[in-house]
Amino acid sequence: GFAALGWTTGGNAPWLVESTNVAAGSFAARSGSIGDGQTSSLILNRSFRAGVGSFSVNVSSEPVWDVLTFILDGVTQQQWSGDVGWTSYAFPVSAGVHSMEWRYAKDPNNSVGMDAAFIDNVNLPLVLAANASTPAHLTAVRQAGGSVFINLTGQTNQLYWLQASTNLQNWV
């Protein structure tokens, strides 16, 4: 669900969690079912560390006219339209509070494909409250090209060991 990070939705229909069209894992976010001339937005307002944000995107829409737009702090960063298979998008994030919006919009005419946009593998440099009992958080996400992105978030001034093994007996 979207409640854990405080996502909100806007437009004519809310985004939903679905499991039939995913880049990796079991679930992805899908734009709401909207009609001609309508929009569906997924919005996140949070505090971020400086770093790189990324997500995977898939669009099935009328080319040129029906568009998924990624907006950071009110400024369009990227748009996708037509038949776009799963692809990754990365963008810089400065430290501070930011608003991110994924907005799928349909023009007043025609329907093509699934008339939907999907996002998956969202990886953001969120500021997380940390204290002596806050555990480290490790994520591994398979990217659209088959590579794996590993991210370890922990406390400042702590030592963490990341080890790998091909047989679960010998570790490096």
Side-chain angles (χ1 to χ4, degrees):
F2 298 118
L5 288 180
W7 298 87
T8 58
T9 59
N12 302 97
W15 280 60
L16 50 104
V17 176
E18 62 95 57
S19 61
T20 58
N21 191 352
V22 301
S26 301
F27 302 100
R30 179 189 173 137
S31 58
S33 180
I34 56 174
D36 292 339
Q38 295 184 328
T39 65
S40 177
S41 291
L42 183 62
I43 303 162
L44 182 63
N45 295 304
R46 290 290 302 260
S47 183
F48 294 87
R49 296 177 283 110
V52 175
S54 65
F55 57 91
S56 298
V57 60
N58 180 346
V59 177
S60 176
S61 73
E62 179 185 16
V64 179
W65 303 106
D66 298 348
V67 179
L68 173 66
T69 304
F70 174 62
I71 303 162
L72 177 62
D73 296 329
V75 178
T76 296
Q77 302 297 305
Q78 183 73 321
Q79 293 184 311
W80 300 267
S81 182
D83 187 18
V84 179
W86 283 109
T87 187
S88 296
Y89 176 71
F91 56 97
V93 179
S94 61
V97 176
H98 295 285
S99 175
M100 296 180 182
E101 179 181 359
W102 291 262
R103 180 187 304 152
Y104 181 65
K106 287 183 53 57
D107 76 324
N109 301 302
N110 302 320
S111 292
V112 175
M114 297 173 67
D115 259 341
F118 303 82
I119 62 171
D120 199 355
N121 300 328
V122 178
N123 186 1
L124 302 171
L126 296 170
V127 170
L128 303 174
N131 57 41
S133 65
T134 303
H137 182 71
L138 177 71
T139 58
V141 177
R142 184 166 307 281
Q143 301 294 303
S147 61
V148 176
F149 177 80
I150 296 175
N151 185 41
L152 175 64
T153 305
Q155 297 179 39
T156 304
N157 298 321
Q158 295 295 317
L159 181 63
Y160 296 95
W161 292 90
L162 182 61
Q163 298 183 348
S165 174
T166 58
N167 59 15
L168 299 180
Q169 294 180 17
N170 300 316
W171 294 85
V172 178

